[in-house]
Amino acid sequence: MTTKKTRPARAQGTRRAGPQARGYPSDLTDAQWQVIALYLPALAPGGRGRPRIWPLRRITEAILYVDRAGCAWRYLPADFPPWRTVYGYFAAWRDDGTLARLHDALRARARAAAGRDGEPTAAVIDSQSVRAADTVPRASRGWDNAKKVNGRYLEPASSRP
């Protein structure tokens, strides 16, 4: 008895790398790339380290893909640069402030396009209130009118030492 050889099944929506690979919804248009490229660090002349192999646009698109898809770095499709390379650029840009500068510049442009001041003039701060027992001193508790809770402010975990 002979069996027919079949190719392994591929998950729906996966793609192969190569010239026939199509773009993703998170890919940048040429106009978007023109704006973003201005804020990315230039290659230092005579700089040390390994020469750049992957174009910055493709690395940026891979970062946007991970952000939009919400997937792990290791799950980047094969037509993007290797995940370690993409994560290395992301971590470097995060640490040197490139991503913060880019975010600030894009926010200012979007606000200007909407006819608003480039910098926001108000902010919303969210907090969490926890019900306080009767044994908690009044000096450290208050009334949260939105939640109708006589409670105590709980500091976010990220701001605790």
Side-chain angles (χ1 to χ4, degrees):
M1 178 163 126
T2 60
T3 58
K4 183 179 175 185
K5 290 186 178 183
T6 61
R7 285 189 272 167
R10 290 176 43 219
Q12 182 178 3
T14 59
R15 303 176 317 121
R16 291 191 177 94
Q20 62 271 42
R22 294 169 301 183
Y24 292 95
S26 59
D27 284 354
L28 298 167
T29 64
D30 290 337
Q32 291 169 331
W33 174 244
Q34 296 284 332
V35 172
I36 290 175
L38 299 172
Y39 298 97
L40 299 180
L43 190 59
R48 292 194 253 158
R50 195 171 174 178
R52 187 178 289 157
I53 297 171
W54 293 93
L56 284 183
R57 180 173 180 165
R58 202 64 188 140
I59 289 169
T60 305
E61 289 173 341
I63 292 170
L64 292 172
Y65 177 87
V66 169
D67 178 56
R68 183 67 182 109
C71 67
W73 292 102
R74 291 175 188 255
Y75 293 159
L76 270 175
D79 49 333
F80 284 119
W83 74 268
R84 289 178 195 259
T85 301
V86 175
Y87 180 76
Y89 276 90
F90 169 77
W93 291 346
R94 177 196 61 206
D95 295 344
D96 71 7
T98 298
L99 293 180
R101 285 189 302 276
L102 176 61
H103 179 265
D104 292 345
L106 293 178
R107 182 189 61 233
R109 287 178 65 117
R111 290 179 61 86
R116 299 165 71 186
D117 188 24
E119 290 295 318
T121 55
V124 175
I125 299 174
D126 190 15
S127 65
Q128 183 177 2
S129 296
V130 178
R131 283 188 195 274
D134 292 334
T135 57
V136 174
R138 281 198 181 273
S140 66
R141 62 181 167 146
W143 179 256
D144 185 345
N145 200 38
K147 298 176 186 168
K148 308 291 186 226
V149 171
N150 183 2
R152 189 173 196 172
Y153 169 71
L154 181 64
E155 218 175 290
S158 60
S159 65
R160 291 184 202 148

